[in-house]
PDB file of all heavy atoms in Angstrom:
ATOM      1  N   ALA A 206     -93.538  32.865 141.539  1.00  0.00           N
ATOM      2  CA  ALA A 206     -94.008  32.065 140.398  1.00  0.00           C
ATOM      3  C   ALA A 206     -95.129  32.788 139.656  1.00  0.00           C
ATOM      4  O   ALA A 206     -95.151  32.810 138.414  1.00  0.00           O
ATOM      5  CB  ALA A 206     -94.481  30.690 140.877  1.00  0.00           C
ATOM      6  N   GLU A 207     -96.044  33.399 140.392  1.00  0.00           N
ATOM      7  CA  GLU A 207     -97.154  34.124 139.768  1.00  0.00           C
ATOM      8  C   GLU A 207     -96.657  35.365 139.034  1.00  0.00           C
ATOM      9  O   GLU A 207     -97.115  35.674 137.931  1.00  0.00           O
ATOM     10  CB  GLU A 207     -98.202  34.515 140.819  1.00  0.00           C
ATOM     11  CG  GLU A 207     -98.904  33.344 141.471  1.00  0.00           C
ATOM     12  CD  GLU A 207     -99.755  32.537 140.512  1.00  0.00           C
ATOM     13  OE1 GLU A 207    -100.331  33.123 139.577  1.00  0.00           O
ATOM     14  OE2 GLU A 207     -99.852  31.309 140.707  1.00  0.00           O
ATOM     15  N   ALA A 208     -95.707  36.088 139.629  1.00  0.00           N
ATOM     16  CA  ALA A 208     -95.155  37.284 138.988  1.00  0.00           C
ATOM     17  C   ALA A 208     -94.398  36.917 137.714  1.00  0.00           C
ATOM     18  O   ALA A 208     -94.488  37.625 136.706  1.00  0.00           O
ATOM     19  CB  ALA A 208     -94.234  38.029 139.953  1.00  0.00           C
ATOM     20  N   ARG A 209     -93.669  35.821 137.763  1.00  0.00           N
ATOM     21  CA  ARG A 209     -92.939  35.359 136.575  1.00  0.00           C
ATOM     22  C   ARG A 209     -93.926  34.962 135.479  1.00  0.00           C
ATOM     23  O   ARG A 209     -93.767  35.323 134.322  1.00  0.00           O
ATOM     24  CB  ARG A 209     -92.031  34.183 136.918  1.00  0.00           C
ATOM     25  CG  ARG A 209     -91.230  33.707 135.719  1.00  0.00           C
ATOM     26  CD  ARG A 209     -90.318  32.532 136.017  1.00  0.00           C
ATOM     27  NE  ARG A 209     -89.300  32.895 136.994  1.00  0.00           N
ATOM     28  CZ  ARG A 209     -89.192  32.349 138.208  1.00  0.00           C
ATOM     29  NH1 ARG A 209     -90.014  31.392 138.591  1.00  0.00           N
ATOM     30  NH2 ARG A 209     -88.257  32.735 139.036  1.00  0.00           N
ATOM     31  N   ARG A 210     -94.972  34.228 135.851  1.00  0.00           N
ATOM     32  CA  ARG A 210     -95.960  33.751 134.884  1.00  0.00           C
ATOM     33  C   ARG A 210     -96.679  34.906 134.190  1.00  0.00           C
ATOM     34  O   ARG A 210     -96.896  34.873 132.986  1.00  0.00           O
ATOM     35  CB  ARG A 210     -96.987  32.856 135.583  1.00  0.00           C
ATOM     36  CG  ARG A 210     -98.020  32.240 134.656  1.00  0.00           C
ATOM     37  CD  ARG A 210     -99.080  31.457 135.409  1.00  0.00           C
ATOM     38  NE  ARG A 210     -99.808  32.240 136.394  1.00  0.00           N
ATOM     39  CZ  ARG A 210    -100.744  33.155 136.104  1.00  0.00           C
ATOM     40  NH1 ARG A 210    -101.049  33.406 134.867  1.00  0.00           N
ATOM     41  NH2 ARG A 210    -101.354  33.805 137.070  1.00  0.00           N
ATOM     42  N   SER A 211     -97.009  35.951 134.946  1.00  0.00           N
ATOM     43  CA  SER A 211     -97.766  37.062 134.367  1.00  0.00           C
ATOM     44  C   SER A 211     -96.899  38.259 133.988  1.00  0.00           C
ATOM     45  O   SER A 211     -97.428  39.283 133.554  1.00  0.00           O
ATOM     46  CB  SER A 211     -98.864  37.504 135.340  1.00  0.00           C
ATOM     47  OG  SER A 211     -98.299  37.970 136.542  1.00  0.00           O
ATOM     48  N   SER A 212     -95.577  38.129 134.161  1.00  0.00           N
ATOM     49  CA  SER A 212     -94.638  39.221 133.835  1.00  0.00           C
ATOM     50  C   SER A 212     -95.081  40.545 134.460  1.00  0.00           C
ATOM     51  O   SER A 212     -95.204  41.562 133.775  1.00  0.00           O
ATOM     52  CB  SER A 212     -94.493  39.371 132.322  1.00  0.00           C
ATOM     53  OG  SER A 212     -93.987  38.204 131.757  1.00  0.00           O
ATOM     54  N   THR A 213     -95.321  40.505 135.744  1.00  0.00           N
ATOM     55  CA  THR A 213     -95.791  41.700 136.444  1.00  0.00           C
ATOM     56  C   THR A 213     -94.902  42.000 137.644  1.00  0.00           C
ATOM     57  O   THR A 213     -94.075  41.191 138.043  1.00  0.00           O
ATOM     58  CB  THR A 213     -97.270  41.521 136.868  1.00  0.00           C
ATOM     59  OG1 THR A 213     -97.777  42.775 137.293  1.00  0.00           O
ATOM     60  CG2 THR A 213     -97.411  40.510 137.978  1.00  0.00           C
ATOM     61  N   THR A 214     -95.076  43.168 138.214  1.00  0.00           N
ATOM     62  CA  THR A 214     -94.305  43.612 139.373  1.00  0.00           C
ATOM     63  C   THR A 214     -94.773  42.902 140.638  1.00  0.00           C
ATOM     64  O   THR A 214     -95.975  42.711 140.840  1.00  0.00           O
ATOM     65  CB  THR A 214     -94.448  45.136 139.562  1.00  0.00           C
ATOM     66  OG1 THR A 214     -93.983  45.789 138.386  1.00  0.00           O
ATOM     67  CG2 THR A 214     -93.659  45.630 140.766  1.00  0.00           C
ATOM     68  N   LEU A 215     -93.825  42.537 141.481  1.00  0.00           N
ATOM     69  CA  LEU A 215     -94.118  41.915 142.761  1.00  0.00           C
ATOM     70  C   LEU A 215     -93.859  42.939 143.867  1.00  0.00           C
ATOM     71  O   LEU A 215     -92.777  43.513 143.961  1.00  0.00           O
ATOM     72  CB  LEU A 215     -93.233  40.683 142.971  1.00  0.00           C
ATOM     73  CG  LEU A 215     -93.417  39.927 144.279  1.00  0.00           C
ATOM     74  CD1 LEU A 215     -94.848  39.420 144.426  1.00  0.00           C
ATOM     75  CD2 LEU A 215     -92.440  38.772 144.360  1.00  0.00           C
ATOM     76  N   LEU A 216     -94.869  43.177 144.685  1.00  0.00           N
ATOM     77  CA  LEU A 216     -94.762  44.082 145.820  1.00  0.00           C
ATOM     78  C   LEU A 216     -94.765  43.252 147.092  1.00  0.00           C
ATOM     79  O   LEU A 216     -95.760  42.594 147.409  1.00  0.00           O
ATOM     80  CB  LEU A 216     -95.920  45.084 145.825  1.00  0.00           C
ATOM     81  CG  LEU A 216     -96.024  46.018 147.026  1.00  0.00           C
ATOM     82  CD1 LEU A 216     -94.756  46.841 147.206  1.00  0.00           C
ATOM     83  CD2 LEU A 216     -97.242  46.920 146.881  1.00  0.00           C
ATOM     84  N   VAL A 217     -93.651  43.250 147.802  1.00  0.00           N
ATOM     85  CA  VAL A 217     -93.499  42.485 149.043  1.00  0.00           C
ATOM     86  C   VAL A 217     -93.779  43.424 150.214  1.00  0.00           C
ATOM     87  O   VAL A 217     -93.131  44.456 150.350  1.00  0.00           O
ATOM     88  CB  VAL A 217     -92.074  41.891 149.164  1.00  0.00           C
ATOM     89  CG1 VAL A 217     -91.930  41.104 150.463  1.00  0.00           C
ATOM     90  CG2 VAL A 217     -91.738  41.031 147.956  1.00  0.00           C
ATOM     91  N   ILE A 218     -94.764  43.051 151.040  1.00  0.00           N
ATOM     92  CA  ILE A 218     -95.120  43.844 152.220  1.00  0.00           C
ATOM     93  C   ILE A 218     -94.745  43.059 153.473  1.00  0.00           C
ATOM     94  O   ILE A 218     -95.207  41.949 153.686  1.00  0.00           O
ATOM     95  CB  ILE A 218     -96.629  44.166 152.261  1.00  0.00           C
ATOM     96  CG1 ILE A 218     -97.066  44.947 151.028  1.00  0.00           C
ATOM     97  CG2 ILE A 218     -96.994  44.912 153.550  1.00  0.00           C
ATOM     98  CD1 ILE A 218     -96.498  46.339 150.940  1.00  0.00           C
ATOM     99  N   ASN A 219     -93.895  43.664 154.295  1.00  0.00           N
ATOM    100  CA  ASN A 219     -93.521  43.105 155.602  1.00  0.00           C
ATOM    101  C   ASN A 219     -93.643  44.250 156.589  1.00  0.00           C
ATOM    102  O   ASN A 219     -92.855  45.180 156.556  1.00  0.00           O
ATOM    103  CB  ASN A 219     -92.092  42.550 155.574  1.00  0.00           C
ATOM    104  CG  ASN A 219     -91.615  42.130 156.945  1.00  0.00           C
ATOM    105  OD1 ASN A 219     -90.723  42.758 157.497  1.00  0.00           O
ATOM    106  ND2 ASN A 219     -92.195  41.098 157.498  1.00  0.00           N
ATOM    107  N   SER A 220     -94.672  44.207 157.428  1.00  0.00           N
ATOM    108  CA  SER A 220     -94.961  45.362 158.270  1.00  0.00           C
ATOM    109  C   SER A 220     -94.893  45.039 159.751  1.00  0.00           C
ATOM    110  O   SER A 220     -94.861  43.881 160.152  1.00  0.00           O
ATOM    111  CB  SER A 220     -96.356  45.904 157.944  1.00  0.00           C
ATOM    112  OG  SER A 220     -97.343  44.979 158.335  1.00  0.00           O
ATOM    113  N   SER A 221     -94.883  46.111 160.527  1.00  0.00           N
ATOM    114  CA  SER A 221     -94.938  46.010 161.982  1.00  0.00           C
ATOM    115  C   SER A 221     -95.766  47.184 162.488  1.00  0.00           C
ATOM    116  O   SER A 221     -95.729  48.271 161.905  1.00  0.00           O
ATOM    117  CB  SER A 221     -93.538  46.072 162.579  1.00  0.00           C
ATOM    118  OG  SER A 221     -93.598  46.082 163.997  1.00  0.00           O
ATOM    119  N   ARG A 222     -96.494  46.939 163.553  1.00  0.00           N
ATOM    120  CA  ARG A 222     -97.218  48.044 164.167  1.00  0.00           C
ATOM    121  C   ARG A 222     -96.255  49.044 164.792  1.00  0.00           C
ATOM    122  O   ARG A 222     -96.561  50.212 164.921  1.00  0.00           O
ATOM    123  CB  ARG A 222     -98.152  47.528 165.259  1.00  0.00           C
ATOM    124  CG  ARG A 222     -99.382  46.871 164.754  1.00  0.00           C
ATOM    125  CD  ARG A 222    -100.229  46.421 165.945  1.00  0.00           C
ATOM    126  NE  ARG A 222    -101.366  45.691 165.492  1.00  0.00           N
ATOM    127  CZ  ARG A 222    -102.616  46.096 165.660  1.00  0.00           C
ATOM    128  NH1 ARG A 222    -102.854  47.208 166.293  1.00  0.00           N
ATOM    129  NH2 ARG A 222    -103.611  45.381 165.208  1.00  0.00           N
ATOM    130  N   GLY A 223     -95.106  48.537 165.235  1.00  0.00           N
ATOM    131  CA  GLY A 223     -94.137  49.406 165.884  1.00  0.00           C
ATOM    132  C   GLY A 223     -94.416  49.609 167.357  1.00  0.00           C
ATOM    133  O   GLY A 223     -93.851  50.507 167.981  1.00  0.00           O
ATOM    134  N   ASP A 224     -95.259  48.755 167.925  1.00  0.00           N
ATOM    135  CA  ASP A 224     -95.638  48.935 169.324  1.00  0.00           C
ATOM    136  C   ASP A 224     -94.917  47.989 170.284  1.00  0.00           C
ATOM    137  O   ASP A 224     -95.279  47.889 171.447  1.00  0.00           O
ATOM    138  CB  ASP A 224     -97.155  48.787 169.487  1.00  0.00           C
ATOM    139  CG  ASP A 224     -97.677  47.437 169.024  1.00  0.00           C
ATOM    140  OD1 ASP A 224     -96.892  46.643 168.479  1.00  0.00           O
ATOM    141  OD2 ASP A 224     -98.885  47.180 169.192  1.00  0.00           O
ATOM    142  N   ALA A 225     -93.898  47.291 169.789  1.00  0.00           N
ATOM    143  CA  ALA A 225     -93.129  46.380 170.637  1.00  0.00           C
ATOM    144  C   ALA A 225     -91.647  46.559 170.349  1.00  0.00           C
ATOM    145  O   ALA A 225     -91.258  46.950 169.250  1.00  0.00           O
ATOM    146  CB  ALA A 225     -93.536  44.934 170.358  1.00  0.00           C
ATOM    147  N   LEU A 226     -90.827  46.294 171.358  1.00  0.00           N
ATOM    148  CA  LEU A 226     -89.383  46.410 171.160  1.00  0.00           C
ATOM    149  C   LEU A 226     -88.870  45.370 170.185  1.00  0.00           C
ATOM    150  O   LEU A 226     -87.935  45.622 169.426  1.00  0.00           O
ATOM    151  CB  LEU A 226     -88.649  46.282 172.495  1.00  0.00           C
ATOM    152  CG  LEU A 226     -88.884  47.423 173.485  1.00  0.00           C
ATOM    153  CD1 LEU A 226     -88.208  47.123 174.808  1.00  0.00           C
ATOM    154  CD2 LEU A 226     -88.404  48.740 172.905  1.00  0.00           C
ATOM    155  N   VAL A 227     -89.463  44.174 170.208  1.00  0.00           N
ATOM    156  CA  VAL A 227     -89.060  43.100 169.298  1.00  0.00           C
ATOM    157  C   VAL A 227     -90.311  42.570 168.603  1.00  0.00           C
ATOM    158  O   VAL A 227     -91.297  42.242 169.243  1.00  0.00           O
ATOM    159  CB  VAL A 227     -88.366  41.952 170.068  1.00  0.00           C
ATOM    160  CG1 VAL A 227     -88.032  40.808 169.134  1.00  0.00           C
ATOM    161  CG2 VAL A 227     -87.124  42.457 170.787  1.00  0.00           C
ATOM    162  N   ASP A 228     -90.257  42.505 167.287  1.00  0.00           N
ATOM    163  CA  ASP A 228     -91.354  41.958 166.491  1.00  0.00           C
ATOM    164  C   ASP A 228     -90.758  40.894 165.585  1.00  0.00           C
ATOM    165  O   ASP A 228     -90.116  41.211 164.580  1.00  0.00           O
ATOM    166  CB  ASP A 228     -92.034  43.063 165.680  1.00  0.00           C
ATOM    167  CG  ASP A 228     -93.244  42.576 164.910  1.00  0.00           C
ATOM    168  OD1 ASP A 228     -93.465  41.342 164.834  1.00  0.00           O
ATOM    169  OD2 ASP A 228     -93.974  43.426 164.365  1.00  0.00           O
ATOM    170  N   ASN A 229     -90.950  39.616 165.939  1.00  0.00           N
ATOM    171  CA  ASN A 229     -90.348  38.517 165.180  1.00  0.00           C
ATOM    172  C   ASN A 229     -90.920  38.385 163.772  1.00  0.00           C
ATOM    173  O   ASN A 229     -90.350  37.694 162.939  1.00  0.00           O
ATOM    174  CB  ASN A 229     -90.536  37.192 165.934  1.00  0.00           C
ATOM    175  CG  ASN A 229     -89.738  37.159 167.211  1.00  0.00           C
ATOM    176  OD1 ASN A 229     -88.703  37.818 167.327  1.00  0.00           O
ATOM    177  ND2 ASN A 229     -90.221  36.414 168.187  1.00  0.00           N
ATOM    178  N   ARG A 230     -92.036  39.022 163.502  1.00  0.00           N
ATOM    179  CA  ARG A 230     -92.638  38.956 162.166  1.00  0.00           C
ATOM    180  C   ARG A 230     -92.104  40.055 161.248  1.00  0.00           C
ATOM    181  O   ARG A 230     -92.392  40.064 160.062  1.00  0.00           O
ATOM    182  CB  ARG A 230     -94.160  39.028 162.291  1.00  0.00           C
ATOM    183  CG  ARG A 230     -94.670  37.854 163.172  1.00  0.00           C
ATOM    184  CD  ARG A 230     -96.128  37.890 163.440  1.00  0.00           C
ATOM    185  NE  ARG A 230     -96.948  37.667 162.273  1.00  0.00           N
ATOM    186  CZ  ARG A 230     -97.169  36.481 161.700  1.00  0.00           C
ATOM    187  NH1 ARG A 230     -96.626  35.407 162.208  1.00  0.00           N
ATOM    188  NH2 ARG A 230     -97.941  36.373 160.645  1.00  0.00           N
ATOM    189  N   TYR A 231     -91.326  40.973 161.795  1.00  0.00           N
ATOM    190  CA  TYR A 231     -90.715  42.046 161.016  1.00  0.00           C
ATOM    191  C   TYR A 231     -89.319  41.581 160.596  1.00  0.00           C
ATOM    192  O   TYR A 231     -88.463  41.320 161.434  1.00  0.00           O
ATOM    193  CB  TYR A 231     -90.630  43.318 161.855  1.00  0.00           C
ATOM    194  CG  TYR A 231     -90.328  44.566 161.066  1.00  0.00           C
ATOM    195  CD1 TYR A 231     -91.261  45.091 160.182  1.00  0.00           C
ATOM    196  CD2 TYR A 231     -89.124  45.218 161.220  1.00  0.00           C
ATOM    197  CE1 TYR A 231     -91.000  46.246 159.475  1.00  0.00           C
ATOM    198  CE2 TYR A 231     -88.850  46.382 160.515  1.00  0.00           C
ATOM    199  CZ  TYR A 231     -89.793  46.885 159.642  1.00  0.00           C
ATOM    200  OH  TYR A 231     -89.531  48.029 158.940  1.00  0.00           O
ATOM    201  N   ALA A 232     -89.114  41.445 159.303  1.00  0.00           N
ATOM    202  CA  ALA A 232     -87.858  40.898 158.782  1.00  0.00           C
ATOM    203  C   ALA A 232     -86.687  41.835 159.063  1.00  0.00           C
ATOM    204  O   ALA A 232     -86.809  43.056 158.943  1.00  0.00           O
ATOM    205  CB  ALA A 232     -87.979  40.647 157.281  1.00  0.00           C
ATOM    206  N   GLN A 233     -85.580  41.243 159.426  1.00  0.00           N
ATOM    207  CA  GLN A 233     -84.356  41.993 159.675  1.00  0.00           C
ATOM    208  C   GLN A 233     -83.677  42.346 158.352  1.00  0.00           C
ATOM    209  O   GLN A 233     -84.005  41.810 157.298  1.00  0.00           O
ATOM    210  CB  GLN A 233     -83.410  41.171 160.560  1.00  0.00           C
ATOM    211  CG  GLN A 233     -83.991  40.840 161.920  1.00  0.00           C
ATOM    212  CD  GLN A 233     -84.351  42.085 162.716  1.00  0.00           C
ATOM    213  OE1 GLN A 233     -83.529  42.971 162.882  1.00  0.00           O
ATOM    214  NE2 GLN A 233     -85.586  42.151 163.180  1.00  0.00           N
ATOM    215  N   GLU A 234     -82.717  43.242 158.429  1.00  0.00           N
ATOM    216  CA  GLU A 234     -82.042  43.746 157.231  1.00  0.00           C
ATOM    217  C   GLU A 234     -81.447  42.635 156.372  1.00  0.00           C
ATOM    218  O   GLU A 234     -81.577  42.647 155.149  1.00  0.00           O
ATOM    219  CB  GLU A 234     -80.943  44.732 157.648  1.00  0.00           C
ATOM    220  CG  GLU A 234     -80.291  45.443 156.491  1.00  0.00           C
ATOM    221  CD  GLU A 234     -79.276  46.479 156.944  1.00  0.00           C
ATOM    222  OE1 GLU A 234     -79.415  47.042 158.048  1.00  0.00           O
ATOM    223  OE2 GLU A 234     -78.333  46.714 156.169  1.00  0.00           O
ATOM    224  N   GLN A 235     -80.807  41.635 157.000  1.00  0.00           N
ATOM    225  CA  GLN A 235     -80.196  40.555 156.227  1.00  0.00           C
ATOM    226  C   GLN A 235     -81.240  39.686 155.534  1.00  0.00           C
ATOM    227  O   GLN A 235     -81.012  39.183 154.431  1.00  0.00           O
ATOM    228  CB  GLN A 235     -79.246  39.697 157.080  1.00  0.00           C
ATOM    229  CG  GLN A 235     -79.888  38.941 158.213  1.00  0.00           C
ATOM    230  CD  GLN A 235     -79.997  39.729 159.508  1.00  0.00           C
ATOM    231  OE1 GLN A 235     -79.897  40.952 159.521  1.00  0.00           O
ATOM    232  NE2 GLN A 235     -80.211  39.032 160.612  1.00  0.00           N
ATOM    233  N   GLU A 236     -82.420  39.540 156.154  1.00  0.00           N
ATOM    234  CA  GLU A 236     -83.504  38.778 155.516  1.00  0.00           C
ATOM    235  C   GLU A 236     -84.055  39.532 154.305  1.00  0.00           C
ATOM    236  O   GLU A 236     -84.305  38.932 153.253  1.00  0.00           O
ATOM    237  CB  GLU A 236     -84.630  38.514 156.526  1.00  0.00           C
ATOM    238  CG  GLU A 236     -84.225  37.574 157.641  1.00  0.00           C
ATOM    239  CD  GLU A 236     -85.194  37.592 158.807  1.00  0.00           C
ATOM    240  OE1 GLU A 236     -85.645  38.681 159.218  1.00  0.00           O
ATOM    241  OE2 GLU A 236     -85.500  36.502 159.306  1.00  0.00           O
ATOM    242  N   ILE A 237     -84.209  40.829 154.445  1.00  0.00           N
ATOM    243  CA  ILE A 237     -84.691  41.650 153.325  1.00  0.00           C
ATOM    244  C   ILE A 237     -83.676  41.644 152.195  1.00  0.00           C
ATOM    245  O   ILE A 237     -84.036  41.539 151.019  1.00  0.00           O
ATOM    246  CB  ILE A 237     -85.006  43.089 153.795  1.00  0.00           C
ATOM    247  CG1 ILE A 237     -86.199  43.070 154.755  1.00  0.00           C
ATOM    248  CG2 ILE A 237     -85.251  44.009 152.618  1.00  0.00           C
ATOM    249  CD1 ILE A 237     -87.499  42.563 154.164  1.00  0.00           C
ATOM    250  N   GLN A 238     -82.397  41.726 152.537  1.00  0.00           N
ATOM    251  CA  GLN A 238     -81.357  41.692 151.496  1.00  0.00           C
ATOM    252  C   GLN A 238     -81.363  40.356 150.766  1.00  0.00           C
ATOM    253  O   GLN A 238     -81.179  40.300 149.554  1.00  0.00           O
ATOM    254  CB  GLN A 238     -79.971  41.959 152.102  1.00  0.00           C
ATOM    255  CG  GLN A 238     -78.885  42.104 151.051  1.00  0.00           C
ATOM    256  CD  GLN A 238     -79.160  43.232 150.079  1.00  0.00           C
ATOM    257  OE1 GLN A 238     -79.402  44.365 150.485  1.00  0.00           O
ATOM    258  NE2 GLN A 238     -79.144  42.944 148.788  1.00  0.00           N
ATOM    259  N   SER A 239     -81.605  39.279 151.483  1.00  0.00           N
ATOM    260  CA  SER A 239     -81.690  37.960 150.865  1.00  0.00           C
ATOM    261  C   SER A 239     -82.858  37.887 149.883  1.00  0.00           C
ATOM    262  O   SER A 239     -82.726  37.333 148.781  1.00  0.00           O
ATOM    263  CB  SER A 239     -81.844  36.890 151.954  1.00  0.00           C
ATOM    264  OG  SER A 239     -82.019  35.623 151.385  1.00  0.00           O
ATOM    265  N   ILE A 240     -83.997  38.454 150.257  1.00  0.00           N
ATOM    266  CA  ILE A 240     -85.152  38.499 149.351  1.00  0.00           C
ATOM    267  C   ILE A 240     -84.827  39.358 148.145  1.00  0.00           C
ATOM    268  O   ILE A 240     -85.126  38.983 146.999  1.00  0.00           O
ATOM    269  CB  ILE A 240     -86.401  39.033 150.089  1.00  0.00           C
ATOM    270  CG1 ILE A 240     -86.826  38.056 151.175  1.00  0.00           C
ATOM    271  CG2 ILE A 240     -87.540  39.298 149.104  1.00  0.00           C
ATOM    272  CD1 ILE A 240     -87.870  38.612 152.124  1.00  0.00           C
ATOM    273  N   GLU A 241     -84.227  40.501 148.384  1.00  0.00           N
ATOM    274  CA  GLU A 241     -83.818  41.407 147.293  1.00  0.00           C
ATOM    275  C   GLU A 241     -82.917  40.680 146.302  1.00  0.00           C
ATOM    276  O   GLU A 241     -83.140  40.732 145.083  1.00  0.00           O
ATOM    277  CB  GLU A 241     -83.100  42.623 147.885  1.00  0.00           C
ATOM    278  CG  GLU A 241     -82.606  43.616 146.874  1.00  0.00           C
ATOM    279  CD  GLU A 241     -83.705  44.513 146.336  1.00  0.00           C
ATOM    280  OE1 GLU A 241     -84.592  44.902 147.105  1.00  0.00           O
ATOM    281  OE2 GLU A 241     -83.670  44.806 145.130  1.00  0.00           O
ATOM    282  N   ASP A 242     -81.913  39.978 146.807  1.00  0.00           N
ATOM    283  CA  ASP A 242     -80.989  39.235 145.945  1.00  0.00           C
ATOM    284  C   ASP A 242     -81.713  38.126 145.178  1.00  0.00           C
ATOM    285  O   ASP A 242     -81.466  37.929 143.980  1.00  0.00           O
ATOM    286  CB  ASP A 242     -79.856  38.625 146.771  1.00  0.00           C
ATOM    287  CG  ASP A 242     -78.951  39.669 147.401  1.00  0.00           C
ATOM    288  OD1 ASP A 242     -79.005  40.845 146.974  1.00  0.00           O
ATOM    289  OD2 ASP A 242     -78.213  39.311 148.341  1.00  0.00           O
ATOM    290  N   ARG A 243     -82.602  37.427 145.866  1.00  0.00           N
ATOM    291  CA  ARG A 243     -83.359  36.335 145.233  1.00  0.00           C
ATOM    292  C   ARG A 243     -84.213  36.849 144.073  1.00  0.00           C
ATOM    293  O   ARG A 243     -84.245  36.261 142.988  1.00  0.00           O
ATOM    294  CB  ARG A 243     -84.238  35.680 146.295  1.00  0.00           C
ATOM    295  CG  ARG A 243     -85.089  34.535 145.828  1.00  0.00           C
ATOM    296  CD  ARG A 243     -85.832  33.959 147.015  1.00  0.00           C
ATOM    297  NE  ARG A 243     -86.802  32.968 146.640  1.00  0.00           N
ATOM    298  CZ  ARG A 243     -87.691  32.449 147.458  1.00  0.00           C
ATOM    299  NH1 ARG A 243     -87.716  32.823 148.730  1.00  0.00           N
ATOM    300  NH2 ARG A 243     -88.549  31.550 147.034  1.00  0.00           N
ATOM    301  N   LEU A 244     -84.905  37.956 144.293  1.00  0.00           N
ATOM    302  CA  LEU A 244     -85.764  38.522 143.254  1.00  0.00           C
ATOM    303  C   LEU A 244     -84.949  39.088 142.094  1.00  0.00           C
ATOM    304  O   LEU A 244     -85.310  38.906 140.927  1.00  0.00           O
ATOM    305  CB  LEU A 244     -86.684  39.589 143.852  1.00  0.00           C
ATOM    306  CG  LEU A 244     -87.700  39.081 144.878  1.00  0.00           C
ATOM    307  CD1 LEU A 244     -88.395  40.239 145.567  1.00  0.00           C
ATOM    308  CD2 LEU A 244     -88.701  38.157 144.225  1.00  0.00           C
ATOM    309  N   ALA A 245     -83.848  39.751 142.411  1.00  0.00           N
ATOM    310  CA  ALA A 245     -82.993  40.309 141.358  1.00  0.00           C
ATOM    311  C   ALA A 245     -82.380  39.204 140.512  1.00  0.00           C
ATOM    312  O   ALA A 245     -82.334  39.303 139.277  1.00  0.00           O
ATOM    313  CB  ALA A 245     -81.907  41.185 141.981  1.00  0.00           C
ATOM    314  N   THR A 246     -81.913  38.147 141.159  1.00  0.00           N
ATOM    315  CA  THR A 246     -81.313  37.017 140.445  1.00  0.00           C
ATOM    316  C   THR A 246     -82.312  36.372 139.492  1.00  0.00           C
ATOM    317  O   THR A 246     -81.956  35.950 138.397  1.00  0.00           O
ATOM    318  CB  THR A 246     -80.802  35.965 141.447  1.00  0.00           C
ATOM    319  OG1 THR A 246     -79.799  36.568 142.274  1.00  0.00           O
ATOM    320  CG2 THR A 246     -80.218  34.759 140.745  1.00  0.00           C
ATOM    321  N   GLN A 247     -83.575  36.324 139.906  1.00  0.00           N
ATOM    322  CA  GLN A 247     -84.607  35.697 139.076  1.00  0.00           C
ATOM    323  C   GLN A 247     -85.224  36.670 138.067  1.00  0.00           C
ATOM    324  O   GLN A 247     -86.124  36.296 137.318  1.00  0.00           O
ATOM    325  CB  GLN A 247     -85.687  35.088 139.961  1.00  0.00           C
ATOM    326  CG  GLN A 247     -85.153  33.947 140.811  1.00  0.00           C
ATOM    327  CD  GLN A 247     -86.246  33.232 141.556  1.00  0.00           C
ATOM    328  OE1 GLN A 247     -87.338  33.046 141.058  1.00  0.00           O
ATOM    329  NE2 GLN A 247     -85.942  32.826 142.776  1.00  0.00           N
ATOM    330  N   GLY A 248     -84.753  37.913 138.075  1.00  0.00           N
ATOM    331  CA  GLY A 248     -85.240  38.886 137.106  1.00  0.00           C
ATOM    332  C   GLY A 248     -86.660  39.356 137.354  1.00  0.00           C
ATOM    333  O   GLY A 248     -87.359  39.757 136.425  1.00  0.00           O
TER     334      GLY A 248
END
């Protein structure tokens, strides 16, 4: 909503330290693709 209002670029950061075999806070490929599609659809 803020990016749309100000017509600016949105930078999405989803990181992991990489120190665990499983990090539930690190988005999987299908979740990232869903975000990508959502942002592209909304321009």
Side-chain angles (χ1 to χ4, degrees):
E207 295 295 326
R209 182 180 297 116
R210 183 185 58 74
S211 62
S212 299
T213 192
T214 301
L215 180 59
L216 174 58
V217 180
I218 301 293
N219 173 248
S220 67
S221 175
R222 284 181 185 244
D224 59 355
L226 293 175
V227 176
D228 184 350
N229 292 333
R230 301 176 67 77
Y231 194 69
Q233 299 301 308
E234 187 176 332
Q235 64 273 18
E236 293 165 317
I237 293 298
Q238 187 59 53
S239 176
I240 294 169
E241 179 78 38
D242 294 344
R243 180 177 173 189
L244 295 171
T246 299
Q247 295 187 37

